[in-house]
Amino acid sequence: MNDSPPWLSPVEERAWRGMLRMHDLLVNQAGRTLQSEFGLSATDYSVLAELTRTPKGRLRILELAKVLGWEKSRVSHHIARMAKRGLTDREECADDGRGAYVIVTPAGREAITNAAPRHVEDVRRLFLDHLSPGQITLLAEITDTVIGKIDI
């Protein structure tokens, strides 16, 4: 019995490879601007964006890892690098001695506040401006479906 999965059709392969290529191009292009103009990497921006979405500007390390789709060790290492630059800090969790919060510092909040308008311009220029409202809605539905099926 042959247990190998069926190969991708030409259209399926085109969709898969195109999505990967588009993602890489968008992240690289937007990341260049963040780095050159604001001294932030794309991953710095992602961390700061998630932290500043919360009312208190903090998340447990495991919560941050989940929302970013990263391993806990990657989050810990990246947060340590950001802390050396004064963008984030760690705060012990009072109700759980084993846990810690990642918090955005005033410098981190200032960095994302400065970078966000330009980042939004890049997202529009590089991505959204090339799609119709219907395509944007459909893509949002597609990403929600796929993420919902694989998000743990």
Side-chain angles (χ1 to χ4, degrees), residues 7-21:
W7 289 104
L8 299 180
S9 72
V11 171
E12 290 169 333
E13 184 173 0
R14 183 173 144 227
W16 174 249
R17 288 177 171 268
M19 189 266 319
L20 292 176
R21 178 78 173 129

Side-chain angles (χ1 to χ4, degrees), residues 86-108:
L87 301 172
T88 61
D89 204 354
R90 291 174 71 113
E91 181 181 274
E92 295 306 314
C93 183
D95 58 332
D96 179 2
R98 299 172 299 162
Y101 286 100
V102 178
I103 59 172
V104 62
T105 63

Side-chain angles (χ1 to χ4, degrees), residues 62-63 65-71 146-152:
L62 287 175
E63 292 171 320
K66 181 176 179 174
V67 75
L68 293 171
W70 297 358
E71 296 293 325
V146 173
I147 291 168
K149 297 293 183 187
I150 62 175
D151 196 20
I152 298 171

Side-chain angles (χ1 to χ4, degrees), residues 8-119:
L8 299 180
S9 72
V11 171
E12 290 169 333
E13 184 173 0
R14 183 173 144 227
W16 174 249
R17 288 177 171 268
M19 189 266 319
L20 292 176
R21 178 78 173 129
M22 179 183 68
H23 172 267
D24 290 347
L25 287 169
L26 291 170
V27 170
N28 288 337
Q29 286 292 317
R32 278 192 206 119
T33 302
L34 290 171
Q35 187 66 55
S36 67
E37 294 185 21
F38 304 100
L40 296 174
S41 69
T43 51
D44 292 339
Y45 189 91
S46 295
V47 168
L48 293 173
E50 294 304 331
L51 291 175
T52 56
R53 281 188 183 102
T54 67
K56 294 183 179 181
R58 69 183 192 170
L59 284 169
R60 298 278 299 255
I61 290 176
L62 287 175
E63 292 171 320
L64 184 58
K66 181 176 179 174
V67 75
L68 293 171
W70 297 358
E71 296 293 325
K72 183 183 174 216
S73 62
R74 179 180 179 193
V75 172
S76 295
H77 290 294
H78 195 80
I79 293 303
R81 288 190 298 272
M82 290 178 74
K84 287 180 184 176
R85 294 168 35 226
L87 301 172
T88 61
D89 204 354
R90 291 174 71 113
E91 181 181 274
E92 295 306 314
C93 183
D95 58 332
D96 179 2
R98 299 172 299 162
Y101 286 100
V102 178
I103 59 172
V104 62
T105 63
R109 196 171 292 280
E110 181 181 359
I112 195 162
T113 298
N114 291 337
R118 178 56 196 270
H119 182 65

